[in-house]
Coordinates of all heavy atoms in Angstrom, one line a residue:
K206 N -90.6 -18.2 112.5 CA -90.8 -18.0 113.9 C -90.4 -16.6 114.3 O -89.4 -16.1 113.9 CB -89.9 -19.1 114.7 CG -90.3 -20.5 114.4 CD -89.4 -21.4 115.2 CE -89.7 -22.9 114.9 NZ -88.9 -23.8 115.6
L207 N -91.1 -16.1 115.3 CA -90.8 -14.7 115.7 C -89.4 -14.7 116.4 O -88.8 -13.7 116.5 CB -91.9 -14.3 116.7 CG -92.0 -12.7 116.9 CD1 -92.0 -12.0 115.6 CD2 -93.2 -12.4 117.8
T208 N -89.0 -15.8 116.9 CA -87.6 -15.9 117.6 C -86.5 -15.7 116.6 O -85.4 -15.4 117.0 CB -87.4 -17.3 118.2 OG1 -87.6 -18.3 117.3 CG2 -88.4 -17.5 119.4
K209 N -86.8 -15.7 115.3 CA -85.8 -15.5 114.2 C -85.7 -14.0 113.8 O -84.9 -13.6 113.0 CB -86.1 -16.3 113.0 CG -86.2 -17.8 113.2 CD -84.9 -18.4 113.5 CE -85.1 -19.9 113.7 NZ -83.8 -20.5 114.0
L210 N -86.6 -13.2 114.5 CA -86.6 -11.7 114.1 C -85.3 -11.0 114.2 O -84.9 -10.3 113.3 CB -87.7 -11.0 114.9 CG -87.9 -9.5 114.7 CD1 -88.3 -9.3 113.2 CD2 -89.0 -9.0 115.6
Y211 N -84.6 -11.1 115.4 CA -83.4 -10.4 115.6 C -82.3 -10.8 114.5 O -81.7 -10.0 113.9 CB -82.8 -10.7 117.0 CG -81.5 -10.1 117.2 CD1 -81.3 -8.7 117.4 CD2 -80.3 -10.8 117.1 CE1 -80.1 -8.1 117.6 CE2 -79.1 -10.3 117.3 CZ -79.0 -8.9 117.5 OH -77.7 -8.3 117.7
T212 N -82.2 -12.1 114.3 CA -81.2 -12.6 113.3 C -81.5 -12.1 111.9 O -80.7 -11.6 111.2 CB -81.2 -14.2 113.3 OG1 -80.9 -14.7 114.6 CG2 -80.2 -14.7 112.3
F213 N -82.8 -12.1 111.6 CA -83.3 -11.6 110.3 C -83.0 -10.1 110.1 O -82.4 -9.7 109.1 CB -84.8 -11.9 110.1 CG -85.3 -11.3 108.8 CD1 -85.1 -12.0 107.6 CD2 -85.9 -10.1 108.8 CE1 -85.6 -11.5 106.4 CE2 -86.4 -9.6 107.6 CZ -86.3 -10.3 106.4
L214 N -83.3 -9.3 111.1 CA -83.1 -7.9 111.0 C -81.6 -7.5 111.0 O -81.2 -6.7 110.2 CB -83.8 -7.2 112.2 CG -85.3 -7.2 112.2 CD1 -85.9 -6.6 113.5 CD2 -85.9 -6.5 111.0
K215 N -80.8 -8.2 111.8 CA -79.4 -8.0 111.8 C -78.8 -8.3 110.4 O -78.1 -7.5 109.8 CB -78.7 -8.8 112.8 CG -77.2 -8.6 112.9 CD -76.6 -9.5 114.0 CE -75.1 -9.3 114.0 NZ -74.5 -10.2 115.0
L216 N -79.2 -9.4 109.8 CA -78.7 -9.8 108.5 C -79.2 -8.9 107.4 O -78.4 -8.5 106.5 CB -79.1 -11.2 108.2 CG -78.4 -11.9 107.0 CD1 -76.9 -11.9 107.1 CD2 -78.8 -13.4 107.0
S217 N -80.4 -8.4 107.5 CA -81.0 -7.5 106.6 C -80.2 -6.2 106.5 O -80.0 -5.6 105.5 CB -82.5 -7.2 106.9 OG -83.2 -8.4 106.7
K218 N -79.9 -5.7 107.7 CA -79.2 -4.4 107.8 C -77.8 -4.5 107.2 O -77.2 -3.6 106.5 CB -79.1 -3.8 109.2 CG -80.4 -3.4 109.7 CD -81.1 -2.4 108.8 CE -80.6 -1.0 108.9 NZ -81.3 0.0 108.1
Q219 N -77.1 -5.7 107.4 CA -75.8 -5.9 106.8 C -75.9 -6.0 105.3 O -75.0 -5.5 104.6 CB -75.2 -7.2 107.4 CG -74.9 -7.1 108.9 CD -74.5 -8.5 109.5 OE1 -74.9 -9.5 109.0 NE2 -73.8 -8.4 110.6
I220 N -76.9 -6.7 104.8 CA -77.1 -6.8 103.4 C -77.4 -5.4 102.8 O -76.9 -5.1 101.7 CB -78.3 -7.8 103.0 CG1 -77.8 -9.2 103.4 CG2 -78.6 -7.7 101.6 CD1 -79.0 -10.2 103.4
E221 N -78.2 -4.6 103.4 CA -78.5 -3.3 103.0 C -77.2 -2.5 102.8 O -77.0 -1.8 101.8 CB -79.5 -2.6 103.9 CG -79.8 -1.2 103.5 CD -80.7 -0.4 104.5 OE1 -80.5 -0.7 105.8 OE2 -81.5 0.4 104.1
K222 N -76.4 -2.5 103.8 CA -75.1 -1.8 103.8 C -74.3 -2.2 102.6 O -73.7 -1.4 101.9 CB -74.4 -2.0 105.1 CG -73.1 -1.2 105.3 CD -72.4 -1.5 106.6 CE -71.1 -0.7 106.7 NZ -70.4 -0.9 107.9
E223 N -74.1 -3.5 102.4 CA -73.4 -4.0 101.3 C -74.0 -3.6 99.9 O -73.3 -3.2 99.0 CB -73.2 -5.5 101.3 CG -72.2 -6.0 102.4 CD -72.0 -7.5 102.4 OE1 -72.6 -8.2 101.6 OE2 -71.2 -7.9 103.3
A224 N -75.3 -3.7 99.9 CA -76.0 -3.3 98.6 C -75.8 -1.8 98.3 O -75.6 -1.5 97.1 CB -77.5 -3.6 98.8
L225 N -75.8 -1.0 99.3 CA -75.6 0.5 99.0 C -74.2 0.8 98.5 O -74.0 1.8 97.8 CB -75.9 1.3 100.3 CG -77.4 1.3 100.7 CD1 -77.5 1.9 102.1 CD2 -78.2 2.2 99.7
A226 N -73.3 -0.1 98.7 CA -71.9 0.1 98.2 C -71.6 -0.7 96.9 O -70.6 -0.7 96.4 CB -70.9 -0.3 99.3
A227 N -72.6 -1.5 96.5 CA -72.4 -2.4 95.3 C -72.4 -1.6 94.0 O -73.1 -0.6 93.9 CB -73.5 -3.4 95.3
D228 N -71.6 -2.2 93.1 CA -71.6 -1.6 91.7 C -73.0 -1.8 91.1 O -73.6 -2.8 91.2 CB -70.6 -2.3 90.8 CG -69.2 -2.0 91.2 OD1 -68.9 -1.0 91.9 OD2 -68.3 -2.8 90.9
G229 N -73.5 -0.7 90.5 CA -74.7 -0.8 89.7 C -76.0 -0.6 90.5 O -77.1 -0.6 90.0
I230 N -75.9 -0.3 91.8 CA -77.1 -0.1 92.6 C -77.6 1.3 92.4 O -76.8 2.3 92.3 CB -76.8 -0.4 94.1 CG1 -78.1 -0.4 94.9 CG2 -75.9 0.7 94.7 CD1 -79.0 -1.6 94.6
I231 N -78.9 1.4 92.4 CA -79.6 2.7 92.2 C -80.3 3.0 93.5 O -80.3 4.2 94.0 CB -80.5 2.8 91.0 CG1 -79.7 2.6 89.7 CG2 -81.3 4.0 91.0 CD1 -80.5 2.4 88.5
K232 N -81.0 2.0 94.1 CA -81.9 2.3 95.3 C -82.0 1.0 96.0 O -82.1 -0.1 95.5 CB -83.2 2.8 94.9 CG -84.2 3.1 96.0 CD -85.5 3.7 95.6 CE -86.3 4.0 96.8 NZ -87.3 5.0 96.6
V233 N -82.0 1.1 97.4 CA -82.3 0.0 98.3 C -83.4 0.5 99.3 O -83.2 1.6 99.9 CB -81.1 -0.5 99.1 CG1 -81.4 -1.6 100.0 CG2 -80.0 -0.9 98.1
K234 N -84.4 -0.2 99.5 CA -85.4 0.2 100.4 C -86.0 -1.1 101.1 O -86.5 -2.0 100.5 CB -86.6 0.9 99.8 CG -87.6 1.5 100.8 CD -88.6 2.4 100.2 CE -89.5 2.9 101.3 NZ -90.5 3.8 100.8
L235 N -85.8 -1.1 102.5 CA -86.4 -2.1 103.3 C -87.7 -1.6 103.9 O -87.8 -0.5 104.3 CB -85.4 -2.5 104.5 CG -84.0 -2.9 104.1 CD1 -83.2 -3.1 105.3 CD2 -84.1 -4.2 103.3
M236 N -88.7 -2.5 103.8 CA -90.1 -2.1 104.3 C -90.7 -3.1 105.2 O -90.6 -4.3 104.8 CB -91.0 -1.9 103.1 CG -90.5 -0.8 102.1 SD -91.4 -0.9 100.5 CE -90.3 -2.1 99.6
G237 N -91.2 -2.7 106.3 CA -91.8 -3.6 107.2 C -93.3 -3.8 106.8 O -93.9 -2.9 106.2
G238 N -93.8 -5.0 107.0 CA -95.2 -5.3 106.9 C -95.8 -5.4 108.3 O -96.7 -4.7 108.6
N239 N -95.2 -6.3 109.0 CA -95.6 -6.5 110.4 C -94.4 -7.2 111.1 O -93.3 -7.2 110.5 CB -96.9 -7.3 110.6 CG -96.9 -8.6 109.9 OD1 -95.9 -9.3 110.0 ND2 -97.9 -8.9 109.2
L240 N -94.5 -7.7 112.2 CA -93.3 -8.3 112.9 C -92.9 -9.6 112.3 O -91.8 -10.1 112.6 CB -93.6 -8.6 114.4 CG -93.6 -7.4 115.3 CD1 -94.0 -7.8 116.7 CD2 -92.3 -6.7 115.2
S241 N -93.7 -10.2 111.3 CA -93.2 -11.4 110.7 C -93.1 -11.3 109.2 O -92.6 -12.3 108.6 CB -94.2 -12.6 111.1 OG -95.5 -12.3 110.6
S242 N -93.5 -10.2 108.6 CA -93.4 -10.1 107.1 C -92.6 -8.8 106.8 O -93.0 -7.7 107.3 CB -94.7 -10.1 106.5 OG -95.4 -11.3 106.7
F243 N -91.7 -8.9 105.9 CA -90.9 -7.8 105.5 C -90.7 -7.8 104.0 O -90.7 -8.8 103.3 CB -89.5 -7.9 106.1 CG -89.6 -7.9 107.6 CD1 -89.7 -9.1 108.3 CD2 -89.5 -6.7 108.3 CE1 -89.8 -9.1 109.7 CE2 -89.7 -6.7 109.7 CZ -89.8 -7.9 110.4
Y244 N -90.6 -6.6 103.4 CA -90.4 -6.4 102.0 C -89.1 -5.7 101.7 O -88.6 -4.9 102.5 CB -91.6 -5.5 101.5 CG -92.9 -6.1 101.6 CD1 -93.7 -6.0 102.8 CD2 -93.5 -6.9 100.6 CE1 -94.9 -6.6 102.9 CE2 -94.7 -7.4 100.7 CZ -95.4 -7.3 101.9 OH -96.7 -7.9 102.0
V245 N -88.6 -5.9 100.5 CA -87.4 -5.2 100.1 C -87.6 -4.8 98.6 O -88.1 -5.6 97.8 CB -86.1 -6.1 100.3 CG1 -86.1 -7.3 99.5 CG2 -84.9 -5.2 100.0
L246 N -87.0 -3.7 98.3 CA -87.0 -3.2 96.9 C -85.6 -2.8 96.6 O -84.9 -2.1 97.4 CB -87.9 -1.9 96.7 CG -87.6 -1.0 95.5 CD1 -88.0 -1.7 94.2 CD2 -88.3 0.3 95.7
T247 N -85.0 -3.3 95.5 CA -83.7 -2.9 95.1 C -83.8 -2.5 93.6 O -84.6 -3.2 92.9 CB -82.6 -3.9 95.3 OG1 -82.9 -5.1 94.6 CG2 -82.3 -4.1 96.7
V248 N -83.1 -1.5 93.2 CA -83.1 -1.1 91.8 C -81.7 -1.1 91.3 O -80.8 -0.5 92.0 CB -83.8 0.3 91.7 CG1 -83.8 0.8 90.2 CG2 -85.2 0.4 92.3
W249 N -81.5 -1.7 90.2 CA -80.1 -1.9 89.6 C -80.0 -1.3 88.2 O -81.0 -1.3 87.5 CB -79.8 -3.4 89.6 CG -79.9 -4.0 90.9 CD1 -81.0 -4.6 91.6 CD2 -78.8 -4.2 91.9 NE1 -80.6 -5.0 92.8 CE2 -79.3 -4.8 93.0 CE3 -77.5 -3.8 91.8 CZ2 -78.5 -5.1 94.1 CZ3 -76.7 -4.1 92.9 CH2 -77.2 -4.7 94.0
E250 N -78.8 -0.9 87.9 CA -78.6 -0.5 86.5 C -78.8 -1.6 85.5 O -79.3 -1.3 84.4 CB -77.1 0.1 86.4 CG -76.9 1.4 87.2 CD -75.5 1.8 87.1 OE1 -74.6 1.2 86.5 OE2 -75.2 2.8 87.8
D251 N -78.4 -2.8 85.9 CA -78.5 -3.9 84.9 C -78.5 -5.3 85.7 O -78.3 -5.3 86.9 CB -77.3 -3.9 84.0 CG -76.0 -3.9 84.7 OD1 -75.7 -4.8 85.5 OD2 -75.2 -2.9 84.4
T252 N -78.9 -6.3 85.0 CA -79.1 -7.6 85.6 C -77.7 -8.2 86.0 O -77.7 -8.8 87.1 CB -79.7 -8.6 84.5 OG1 -80.9 -8.1 84.1 CG2 -79.9 -10.0 85.1
E253 N -76.7 -7.9 85.3 CA -75.3 -8.4 85.7 C -75.0 -7.9 87.1 O -74.5 -8.7 87.9 CB -74.3 -8.0 84.7 CG -72.9 -8.5 85.0 CD -71.9 -8.0 83.9 OE1 -72.3 -7.7 82.8 OE2 -70.7 -8.0 84.3
S254 N -75.2 -6.6 87.4 CA -74.9 -6.0 88.7 C -75.7 -6.7 89.8 O -75.2 -7.0 90.9 CB -75.1 -4.5 88.7 OG -74.3 -3.9 87.8
M255 N -77.0 -6.9 89.5 CA -77.9 -7.5 90.5 C -77.4 -8.9 90.8 O -77.3 -9.3 92.0 CB -79.3 -7.5 90.0 CG -80.3 -8.2 90.9 SD -82.0 -8.3 90.3 CE -81.8 -9.6 89.1
M256 N -77.1 -9.7 89.8 CA -76.7 -11.1 90.0 C -75.4 -11.2 90.7 O -75.2 -12.1 91.5 CB -76.7 -11.8 88.6 CG -78.1 -11.9 88.0 SD -79.3 -12.6 89.0 CE -78.8 -14.3 89.2
K257 N -74.4 -10.3 90.3 CA -73.1 -10.3 91.0 C -73.3 -10.1 92.5 O -72.7 -10.8 93.3 CB -72.2 -9.3 90.4 CG -70.9 -9.2 91.0 CD -70.0 -8.2 90.4 CE -68.6 -8.1 91.1 NZ -67.8 -7.0 90.5
F258 N -74.1 -9.1 92.8 CA -74.4 -8.9 94.3 C -75.1 -10.0 94.9 O -74.7 -10.4 96.1 CB -75.2 -7.6 94.4 CG -75.7 -7.4 95.8 CD1 -74.8 -6.9 96.8 CD2 -77.0 -7.7 96.3 CE1 -75.2 -6.7 98.1 CE2 -77.3 -7.6 97.6 CZ -76.4 -7.1 98.5
S259 N -76.1 -10.6 94.3 CA -76.9 -11.7 94.9 C -76.1 -12.9 95.3 O -76.5 -13.7 96.1 CB -78.1 -12.0 94.1 OG -77.7 -12.7 92.9
R260 N -74.9 -13.1 94.6 CA -74.1 -14.2 94.8 C -72.9 -13.9 95.6 O -71.9 -14.7 95.6 CB -73.7 -14.8 93.5 CG -74.9 -15.3 92.7 CD -74.5 -16.0 91.4 NE -75.7 -16.5 90.7 CZ -76.0 -16.2 89.5 NH1 -75.3 -15.4 88.7 NH2 -77.1 -16.7 89.0
S261 N -72.9 -12.9 96.4 CA -71.7 -12.5 97.2 C -72.1 -12.0 98.6 O -73.2 -11.8 98.9 CB -71.0 -11.3 96.5 OG -71.8 -10.2 96.5
G262 N -71.1 -12.0 99.4 CA -71.2 -11.4 100.8 C -72.3 -11.9 101.6 O -72.7 -13.1 101.7
K263 N -72.9 -11.0 102.4 CA -74.0 -11.3 103.3 C -75.2 -11.8 102.6 O -76.0 -12.6 103.2 CB -74.3 -10.1 104.2 CG -73.2 -9.7 105.2 CD -73.1 -10.8 106.2 CE -72.0 -10.4 107.2 NZ -71.8 -11.5 108.2
H264 N -75.5 -11.3 101.4 CA -76.7 -11.8 100.7 C -76.5 -13.3 100.4 O -77.4 -14.1 100.5 CB -76.9 -11.0 99.4 CG -78.2 -11.3 98.7 ND1 -78.3 -12.4 97.9 CD2 -79.4 -10.7 98.8 CE1 -79.6 -12.4 97.5 NE2 -80.2 -11.4 98.0
H265 N -75.3 -13.7 100.0 CA -75.1 -15.1 99.7 C -75.2 -16.0 101.0 O -75.8 -17.0 101.0 CB -73.7 -15.3 99.1 CG -73.4 -16.7 98.7 ND1 -74.0 -17.3 97.6 CD2 -72.5 -17.6 99.2 CE1 -73.5 -18.6 97.5 NE2 -72.6 -18.8 98.4
E266 N -74.8 -15.4 102.1 CA -74.9 -16.0 103.4 C -76.4 -16.2 103.7 O -76.8 -17.2 104.3 CB -74.2 -15.2 104.4 CG -74.2 -15.8 105.8 CD -73.6 -14.8 106.8 OE1 -72.5 -14.3 106.5 OE2 -74.1 -14.7 107.9
A267 N -77.2 -15.2 103.5 CA -78.6 -15.2 103.8 C -79.3 -16.2 102.9 O -80.3 -16.9 103.5 CB -79.2 -13.8 103.5
I268 N -78.9 -16.4 101.7 CA -79.6 -17.5 100.9 C -79.4 -18.8 101.5 O -80.3 -19.6 101.6 CB -79.0 -17.4 99.5 CG1 -79.4 -16.2 98.7 CG2 -79.4 -18.7 98.7 CD1 -78.7 -16.0 97.4
K269 N -78.2 -19.1 102.1 CA -77.9 -20.3 102.7 C -78.8 -20.5 104.0 O -79.2 -21.6 104.3 CB -76.5 -20.5 103.1 CG -75.5 -20.6 101.9 CD -74.1 -20.6 102.4 CE -73.1 -20.5 101.3 NZ -71.7 -20.5 101.7
K270 N -79.1 -19.4 104.7 CA -79.9 -19.5 105.9 C -81.4 -19.3 105.7 O -82.2 -19.4 106.6 CB -79.5 -18.3 106.9 CG -78.1 -18.5 107.4 CD -77.7 -17.4 108.3 CE -76.3 -17.5 108.9 NZ -76.0 -16.4 109.8
S271 N -81.8 -19.1 104.5 CA -83.2 -18.7 104.2 C -84.2 -19.7 104.6 O -85.3 -19.4 105.2 CB -83.4 -18.4 102.7 OG -83.2 -19.5 101.9
K272 N -83.9 -21.0 104.5 CA -84.9 -22.1 104.9 C -85.0 -22.1 106.4 O -86.1 -22.4 106.9 CB -84.4 -23.4 104.4 CG -84.6 -23.6 102.9 CD -84.2 -25.0 102.4 CE -84.4 -25.1 100.9 NZ -84.0 -26.4 100.4
D273 N -84.0 -21.7 107.1 CA -84.1 -21.6 108.6 C -84.8 -20.4 109.1 O -85.6 -20.4 110.1 CB -82.7 -21.7 109.2 CG -82.7 -21.7 110.7 OD1 -83.4 -22.5 111.3 OD2 -82.1 -20.8 111.3
L274 N -84.7 -19.3 108.4 CA -85.3 -18.0 108.8 C -86.7 -17.8 108.3 O -87.5 -17.3 109.1 CB -84.4 -16.9 108.3 CG -83.1 -16.7 108.9 CD1 -82.3 -15.6 108.2 CD2 -83.2 -16.4 110.4
A275 N -87.0 -18.2 107.1 CA -88.3 -17.8 106.5 C -89.1 -19.0 106.2 O -88.6 -20.0 105.7 CB -88.1 -17.0 105.2
K276 N -90.4 -18.9 106.4 CA -91.3 -20.0 106.0 C -91.8 -19.7 104.6 O -92.3 -20.6 103.9 CB -92.4 -20.2 107.0 CG -93.5 -19.1 107.0 CD -94.6 -19.6 108.0 CE -95.7 -18.5 108.1 NZ -96.7 -18.9 109.1
E277 N -91.7 -18.5 104.1 CA -92.1 -18.2 102.7 C -91.3 -17.0 102.2 O -91.1 -16.0 102.9 CB -93.6 -17.8 102.7 CG -94.0 -17.5 101.2 CD -95.5 -17.2 101.2 OE1 -95.8 -16.0 101.6 OE2 -96.3 -18.0 100.8
I278 N -90.8 -17.1 101.0 CA -90.1 -16.0 100.3 C -90.7 -15.8 99.0 O -90.9 -16.8 98.2 CB -88.6 -16.3 100.2 CG1 -87.9 -16.5 101.5 CG2 -87.9 -15.2 99.4 CD1 -86.5 -17.1 101.4

Side-chain angles (χ1 to χ4, degrees):
K206 297 179 182 178
L207 202 51
T208 56
K209 304 291 183 179
L210 180 61
Y211 176 76
T212 302
F213 176 82
L214 292 175
K215 181 179 175 185
L216 193 53
S217 294
K218 290 308 278 181
Q219 292 169 337
I220 293 169
E221 178 186 36
K222 183 179 178 181
E223 286 184 2
L225 289 168
D228 290 337
I230 191 69
I231 295 171
K232 180 175 182 157
V233 177
K234 185 171 184 180
L235 302 175
M236 300 166 271
N239 55 45
L240 284 179
S241 65
S242 295
F243 300 88
Y244 297 85
V245 63
L246 160 69
T247 56
V248 182
W249 301 88
E250 291 175 3
D251 52 58
T252 302
E253 183 180 337
S254 297
M255 179 184 75
M256 295 307 292
K257 181 180 177 185
F258 172 77
S259 72
R260 295 182 177 128
S261 66
K263 291 293 180 181
H264 191 275
H265 185 68
E266 181 182 320
I268 291 171
K269 293 177 186 178
K270 293 180 178 180
S271 64
K272 287 183 182 178
D273 181 53
L274 291 173
K276 71 177 178 182
E277 181 181 78
I278 299 172

